[in-house]
Amino acid sequence: MAHDPSKEGLLNAHSANDGYRRSFDNAAHDSGSDLDATDYLERDAAPNKRTPDAREKWSVRRPFAGRTRRWAQALYIGVALFVVILAATAFGYKKYQQEPPYGQSPPWYPTPRGGTAGTWAKSYEKAAKMVSKMTLAEKVNVTTGTGWQMGLAVGTNAPAVHVGFPQLQLQDGPLGIRFADNITAFPAGITVGATWNRQLMYARGKAHAIEARQKGVNVLLGPCVGPLGRMPAGGRNWEGFGADPYLQGIAGAETVKGIQSEGIMATIKHFVANEQEHFRQPWEWGLPHAVSSNIDDRTLHELYAWPFGDAVKAGVASVMCSYNQLNNSYACGNSKLLNGILKDELGFQGFVMSDWLAQRSGVGTALAGLDMTMPGDGLRWANGESLWGPQLTRSILNGSVPLERLNDMVTRIVAAWYQLGQDDEKKFPRQPPNFSSWTNERLGLPSEGSPSPQEKVEVNKFVDVRANHSVIAREVAAEGTVLLKNEDLLPLSRKGLPDAKLKMRRDNIRRATGQVRSGKFRVGIFGDDAGEGKGPNHCKDRACNQGTLGSGWGSGAVEFPYLMTPIQALREEFDLTKVELHDFLTDKPPHGTAADAGLADLELCIVFANADSGEGFAQWDNNQGDRADLKLQKGGDSLIESVASRCGSGVSDVVVVIHAVGPVLMEKWIDLPNVKAVLLAHLPGQESGHALTDILFGDINPSGHLPFTIGQSLEDYGPGAKIMYLPNAVVPQQDFKEGLYIDYRHFDKNDIEPRFPFGFGLSYTTFNISRIHVSPKKTKSPLPAPRPSPVASPPSYPTTIPPASEALFPAGFRALKKYIYPYLDSVDDMVSDPYPYPEGYHTTQPLSGAGGDEGGNPDLWAVYVTVAVEVANTGPVAGAVVPQLYLSYPEQEGEGGVDFPVRVLRGFDKVYLKPGEKQTVEFEVTRRDLSYWDVGRQNWVMVVEGEYRFGVGESSRHVAVEGRW
């Protein structure tokens, strides 16, 4: 019987919960709040406590619709919640009150201190000198956000003025500088993943960071590698790079390197398993708790945490923990996740920040490994009541948070500042950003969210930071465009078709219809997605689908400086002395319309359609963050079918262009005989039209490959791929029962034929992959080398609790309302009783054998095998080939055998070849690539019996050559 990963030990469901009750007593009661620990978080994983009234129904992280949407949701959620509560009352929540399941990880305390990696040693030395001079109030300032809209960026902490540490400016997002003017709207992450081009991944990150630095930003809230893409309709999948951990890991790491090469701190997010938008955080969907993603230990390591390991190895400065719960413990308060896996096992040296309002306890999150809370407000938006701030000050004074933990929190943040060279005042002047996230006017308030009287100052200086970054944006958009189908049609000529093809097409039309065509070549452009609509910035946070689709919506979107539409670019590129261009920029099928009469005369039709999604705080149509289905939106399927049946009386050629956030179903029209070409352009950003015409006219040979699988139905992806649209409990429980088998792994395991496999992409030329050679570099062994001793020692500080006088408001201090300060009005009511730390807090944790440095045990990153193949361009034009290396584990026999996917991606490259040219491509395969996570041994284990198989091809279903080791 094969090993079932769903039976493996679940990652700790209670690791932080033991500290939650007292955490809220400190963080909520001490502030006079009406919130109580038992109102928000369960004791012993029994989430059966009701909460007070919901927070004000306004912005969820960024002020967008909450009000309008919730009326539409009221019946939807209300009925479901009533049924859930009724059932819960009847059954007593027995399911969630039982003992932890077999193999569940224990709590992991205390937080490992940063400063053990040699690559960070000098930065920690500098940080230690600075932190040792900070007062208690200054330390709390550094760790706590000042509140929503209390600075010009979406997130700001407060400075430590006396020691020279500035206020940090944190800004979304993963594809550009959110809320800023005169910036580049780069292609989205999913488009970057589709390039399969490491150099472009790095270049886009670098250009992004240049703009951030010149706008006055310290920390970019990106890149995004979570969600991974378990669910193809997931609302924020487009922010990441694709539905495979290896591809996400490489793209994320290259982006981090590009960003940090310019001295900007990158933030890899969202850690971890925030795979859908429905129920992602408390009260956003009318429920008191966020969904719990329940994942076994092996799946967590091999899928969802994998790309974060790559980012840590790349030296990422910050990790953002996610909104959701992981095995019934909030991700930002799960000690096993943050302390055990991230900081011990992966050796993360930077700081963990919360997603905006993802912190759900005070002391509990500090003990569990959170280092910075954003935006500073605690359980409700924009109320100025923090779970840290003055409550963290109080927790230090009363001993509930050890001073050593606070010192480590601050040191990690300051060390990251030094590590990125942000102490250089020439590159990082100590001043606010030169733009405001809250107004487009030149003058504005420095703290927009405070009702206190303030003088207006210059907040927008309209600095243009774009330089020539449109070139990179265009390259990424073009290389991220995937040619899915091409039956001798593309590339087009600017005259319409090359002369020989034009004569042949007109002869075919004459024979089929009796019509004789002459004169200009007649082309029709169809679909709202080809045009400008009401402009790219018409809807706040891009949360509507109109005009051509350049990005998804939410915090990952930006203000477009412009959007080059397909119709505009086509008008510029077609030779209008030879081509008669007709545009029908509507999604209404042309039945019985004026357009219908002209369709019979068209010789080529280009149809545009799309599918949009975004973050859960907004909705468009019936897509509430997550897509409602995998269909084309706005009647795209009907439009394509209608145009295909009427274009040239149904015999002229049709090109379909899709802009989409992820896979879309194409079964209704993909096999129509006159649908000769299909392009999936993903989300191309501001250079959309230019990039598309580069491909259509052959200026660039298409080289994009799918970063996900396109199935023939949603059911093809398996039950685990379906969004939970209705809650199944007051605390929704989402069991990842499919384990390792998502996307192509699921298709392979169940022998399901995809419409287009993962990694697929056509070219205008042909390639051949041959002559595989496998070269062992090291000997197989089950476990990595012993964990090495730390290269450096973490800083040490005095542990004496500072005097209470450091916590009081300075005399005559004028405080802004809602602004979060570290100070207390009084310390007279300070608790002096010993604090009941969580069970296991004072137990020395065994260090993970998988740890030992940034990214984990160094042996995991050692190259054990190289695989070389020869690639050749066998076609008529130059182009780029993407050879992909897939690994198959040795077959396991017997009842104790380990269950492995059929194949997993373990390498790729992109090589440009002229016609007839050949090159050798070599893949380096590391121990981690060859290993699986063994739950019993809690380590990465290599299979030493049997043979590994290495297949190289142009998609997951096209393996051209195979070698063995």
Side-chain angles (χ1 to χ4, degrees):
M1 179 178 176
H3 191 59
D4 183 1
S6 67
K7 302 299 184 185
E8 293 173 353
L10 294 177
L11 178 69
N12 172 37
H14 308 280
S15 60
N17 289 351
D18 288 337
Y20 278 154
R21 185 182 299 272
R22 177 62 180 268
S23 301
F24 272 92
D25 290 343
N26 282 326
H29 284 176
D30 289 352
S31 66
S33 169
D34 61 344
L35 304 173
D36 184 87
T38 55
D39 288 322
Y40 276 88
L41 293 169
E42 65 276 21
R43 181 76 173 183
D44 298 327
N48 56 348
K49 304 298 183 184
R50 298 307 305 273
T51 65
D53 293 338
R55 57 173 172 74
E56 294 180 6
K57 296 178 180 178
W58 185 232
S59 70
V60 178
R61 180 167 184 190
R62 355 303 168 208
F64 188 77
R67 300 174 185 265
T68 55
R69 189 189 66 178
R70 283 177 175 77
W71 286 108
Q73 291 175 340
L75 183 61
Y76 164 78
I77 294 293
V79 173
L81 188 57
F82 174 76
V83 172
V84 166
I85 292 174
L86 192 65
T89 303
F91 293 101
Y93 290 95
K94 183 176 180 180
K95 177 179 179 181
Y96 306 118
Q97 290 177 325
Q98 61 190 1
E99 290 300 310
Y102 167 77
Q104 186 177 50
S105 303
W108 212 108
Y109 298 107
T111 303
R113 289 184 293 156
T116 56
T119 48
W120 285 67
K122 291 183 179 179
S123 297
Y124 267 88
E125 288 176 12
K126 295 176 183 178
K129 293 177 182 178
M130 178 177 282
V131 173
S132 66
K133 300 174 185 177
M134 288 184 184
T135 65
L136 173 59
E138 287 179 317
K139 292 176 182 178
V140 172
N141 264 350
V142 172
T143 64
T144 305
T146 56
W148 182 243
Q149 294 189 326
M150 291 302 165
L152 301 184
V154 296
T156 55
N157 63 356
V161 176
H162 297 103
V163 296
F165 187 79
Q167 184 178 57
L168 298 181
Q169 311 294 331
L170 294 75
Q171 194 73 10
D172 295 306
L175 62 77
I177 312 301
R178 189 183 183 211
F179 291 143
D181 56 87
N182 294 311
I183 53 88
T184 303
F186 290 100
I190 199 67
T191 315
V192 178
T195 70
W196 295 66
N197 187 326
R198 298 169 190 249
Q199 290 73 35
L200 278 183
M201 294 165 182
Y202 178 92
R204 172 180 171 271
K206 186 178 183 70
H208 189 181
I210 290 172
E211 296 191 2
R213 179 166 49 79
Q214 293 178 354
K215 281 291 186 181
V217 172
N218 299 93
V219 185
L220 273 176
L221 304 180
C224 176
V225 295
L228 180 64
R230 173 186 187 242
M231 303 165 188
R236 298 184 76 178
N237 291 353
W238 59 271
E239 295 185 37
F241 303 101
D244 177 81
Y246 186 91
L247 177 61
Q248 285 259 32
I250 296 297
E254 291 297 332
T255 303
V256 166
K257 292 174 186 176
I259 290 171
Q260 297 196 163
S261 71
E262 289 295 322
I264 296 295
M265 299 186 213
T267 305
I268 200 76
K269 63 182 188 181
H270 306 85
F271 195 60
V272 65
N274 186 173
E275 293 293 315
Q276 70 168 47
E277 292 302 284
H278 280 70
F279 323 121
R280 66 175 184 154
Q281 63 174 319
W283 295 119
E284 189 176 24
W285 300 84
L287 296 174
H289 280 288
V291 64
S292 177
S293 299
N294 302 323
I295 307 177
D296 67 86
D297 197 27
R298 182 183 174 195
T299 297
L300 180 80
H301 280 80
E302 294 188 31
L303 286 188
Y304 300 98
W306 178 288
F308 290 91
D310 289 272
V312 173
K313 179 66 175 176
V316 72
S318 177
V319 172
M320 180 187 290
C321 50
S322 54
Y323 283 121
N324 58 289
Q325 297 187 61
L326 187 71
N327 299 329
N328 289 289
S329 179
Y330 278 95
C332 290
N334 188 310
S335 68
K336 174 62 178 179
L337 184 64
L338 302 185
N339 291 340
I341 294 178
L342 182 60
K343 292 184 175 179
D344 173 51
E345 185 184 308
L346 293 180
F348 176 55
Q349 300 296 299
F351 60 96
V352 179
M353 79 166 72
S354 70
D355 202 341
W356 270 227
L357 230 69
Q359 183 190 26
R360 306 309 298 169
S361 72
V363 173
T365 53
L367 300 182
L370 187 67
D371 302 307
M372 178 187 287
T373 178
M374 280 290 152
D377 306 287
L379 299 172
R380 294 192 177 99
W381 279 93
N383 65 359
E385 296 182 11
S386 182
L387 292 168
W388 282 2
Q391 306 311 324
L392 181 55
T393 300
R394 182 182 297 274
S395 296
I396 295 296
L397 294 178
N398 68 20
S400 53
V401 172
L403 183 59
E404 182 180 67
R405 174 78 268 263
L406 176 62
N407 286 335
D408 178 60
M409 290 154 59
V410 181
T411 305
R412 284 175 173 271
I413 297 167
V414 176
W417 180 73
Y418 276 118
Q419 183 78 352
L420 274 297
Q422 293 192 4
D423 54 319
D424 182 348
E425 293 191 50
K426 292 182 179 180
K427 293 181 69 174
F428 294 91
R430 312 294 173 83
Q431 58 190 26
N434 53 43
F435 70 97
S436 170
S437 298
W438 321 118
T439 179
N440 295 325
E441 301 298 323
R442 185 176 69 86
L443 299 179
L445 300 177
S447 296
E448 184 75 26
S450 175
S452 298
Q454 303 169 65
E455 290 186 9
K456 286 191 174 183
V457 297
E458 185 179 33
V459 294
N460 282 309
K461 299 181 180 179
F462 309 107
V463 178
D464 194 332
V465 298
R466 291 174 288 178
N468 64 344
H469 298 156
S470 62
V471 174
I472 295 172
R474 184 169 176 168
E475 288 180 2
V476 172
E479 288 204 25
T481 299
V482 182
L483 179 61
L484 295 174
K485 181 179 182 180
N486 187 27
E487 296 182 353
D488 195 31
L489 177 60
L490 300 181
L492 302 174
S493 165
R494 284 171 169 80
K495 297 184 295 183
L497 287 177
D499 291 338
K501 285 187 178 181
L502 177 58
K503 183 180 184 304
M504 184 173 63
R505 292 290 191 273
R506 286 184 168 176
D507 286 345
N508 290 340
I509 290 172
R510 178 179 54 79
R511 285 192 293 269
T513 66
Q515 300 174 6
V516 178
R517 303 285 174 83
S518 62
K520 288 186 176 182
F521 187 76
R522 289 179 280 276
V523 178
I525 311 298
F526 296 84
D528 177 64
D529 185 68
E532 184 178 7
K534 297 177 181 178
N537 299 325
H538 175 67
C539 293
K540 185 174 175 61
D541 289 314
R542 313 296 76 78
C544 65
N545 188 350
Q546 58 83 40
T548 194
L549 187 66
S551 81
W553 74 70
S555 64
V558 299
E559 308 296 311
F560 278 76
Y562 62 85
L563 176 51
M564 173 55 66
T565 64
I567 188 61
Q568 184 179 352
L570 288 166
R571 285 171 182 156
E572 291 178 358
E573 295 298 328
F574 270 122
D575 181 353
L576 298 183
T577 67
K578 303 291 185 181
V579 174
E580 191 174 282
L581 196 60
H582 302 266
D583 58 78
F584 310 96
L585 305 183
T586 174
D587 294 315
K588 184 177 180 180
H591 301 276
T593 65
D596 198 0
L599 275 167
D601 295 328
L602 296 177
E603 298 172 90
L604 175 69
C605 294
I606 307 177
V607 192
F608 289 79
N610 66 32
D612 197 5
S613 71
E615 194 167 356
F617 67 78
Q619 74 175 75
W620 171 79
D621 196 36
N622 64 337
N623 301 283
Q624 298 178 321
D626 305 306
R627 282 188 283 167
D629 50 48
L630 297 185
K631 297 176 183 177
L632 289 171
Q633 295 168 359
K634 303 187 296 183
D637 291 316
S638 297
L639 178 65
I640 295 168
E641 290 180 283
S642 178
V643 171
S645 68
R646 287 166 170 73
C647 183
S649 300
V651 297
S652 289
D653 296 331
V654 176
V655 177
V656 176
V657 179
I658 303 296
H659 293 113
V661 291
V664 294
L665 303 180
M666 304 179 179
E667 298 309 300
K668 290 186 176 181
W669 46 263
I670 189 67
D671 290 325
L672 294 176
N674 62 333
V675 174
K676 294 294 176 62
V678 179
L679 287 164
L680 178 58
H682 300 288
L683 300 174
Q686 68 183 40
E687 289 293 319
S688 174
H690 283 150
L692 179 64
T693 54
D694 285 342
I695 298 295
L696 285 174
F697 295 113
D699 300 333
I700 293 178
N701 193 339
S703 60
H705 286 251
L706 289 176
F708 45 69
T709 300
I710 297 179
Q712 298 182 55
S713 69
L714 176 59
E715 284 66 31
D716 282 354
Y717 294 87
K722 295 181 179 180
I723 301 290
M724 180 192 291
Y725 294 108
L726 293 172
N728 59 4
V730 175
V731 182
Q733 301 292 310
Q734 193 164 63
D735 299 330
F736 288 40
K737 293 180 180 179
E738 74 287 342
L740 302 174
Y741 297 100
I742 68 169
D743 201 77
Y744 70 90
R745 300 166 183 236
H746 168 80
F747 280 77
D748 290 344
K749 179 181 176 67
N750 295 282
D751 198 23
I752 298 170
E753 186 67 26
R755 170 53 66 176
F756 295 109
F758 175 84
F760 178 83
L762 298 176
S763 170
Y764 295 153
T765 190
T766 56
F767 300 101
N768 183 58
I769 299 175
S770 62
R771 304 183 61 175
I772 190 169
H773 182 70
V774 179
S775 301
K777 299 298 178 183
K778 290 195 171 189
T779 305
K780 293 178 186 177
S781 59
L783 295 172
R787 175 175 174 144
S789 299
V791 175
S793 298
S796 295
Y797 303 94
T799 57
T800 304
I801 294 177
S805 59
E806 291 189 13
L808 296 174
F809 271 100
F813 189 89
R814 181 170 172 258
L816 290 175
K817 292 180 180 178
K818 293 191 176 182
Y819 195 100
I820 296 168
Y821 298 100
Y823 304 114
L824 301 172
D825 292 315
S826 172
V827 293
D828 294 341
D829 59 346
M830 195 62 60
V831 175
S832 57
D833 297 336
Y835 179 71
Y837 288 101
E839 182 180 349
Y841 187 83
H842 296 292
T843 301
T844 301
Q845 295 287 345
L847 299 180
S848 172
D853 203 351
E854 281 188 285
N857 190 318
D859 192 27
L860 294 171
W861 299 93
V863 175
Y864 271 67
V865 184
T866 61
V867 179
V869 295
E870 184 177 272
V871 294
N873 184 341
T874 56
V877 295
V881 62
V882 180
Q884 303 159 35
L885 173 68
Y886 291 90
L887 177 150
S888 296
Y889 289 88
E891 294 182 3
Q892 301 286 294
E893 298 180 357
E895 187 172 334
V898 180
D899 184 26
F900 291 116
V902 174
R903 61 183 63 85
V904 291
L905 180 69
R906 286 297 183 260
F908 65 87
D909 202 352
K910 195 165 198 175
V911 183
Y912 183 83
L913 299 172
K914 297 176 182 178
E917 185 180 1
K918 297 179 181 179
Q919 278 193 34
T920 298
V921 176
E922 186 174 275
F923 304 97
E924 294 184 334
V925 186
T926 67
R927 172 181 273 277
R928 186 178 74 142
D929 295 332
L930 294 159
S931 301
Y932 70 97
W933 182 256
D934 188 295
V935 175
R937 287 187 269 194
Q938 285 293 291
N939 209 333
W940 293 98
V941 173
M942 186 186 296
V943 182
V944 295
E945 300 293 333
E947 289 185 316
Y948 285 88
R949 288 172 290 141
F950 302 99
V952 181
E954 294 183 67
S955 79
S956 64
R957 289 290 177 100
H958 175 257
V959 175
V961 290
E962 185 175 283
R964 295 172 180 266
W965 177 49

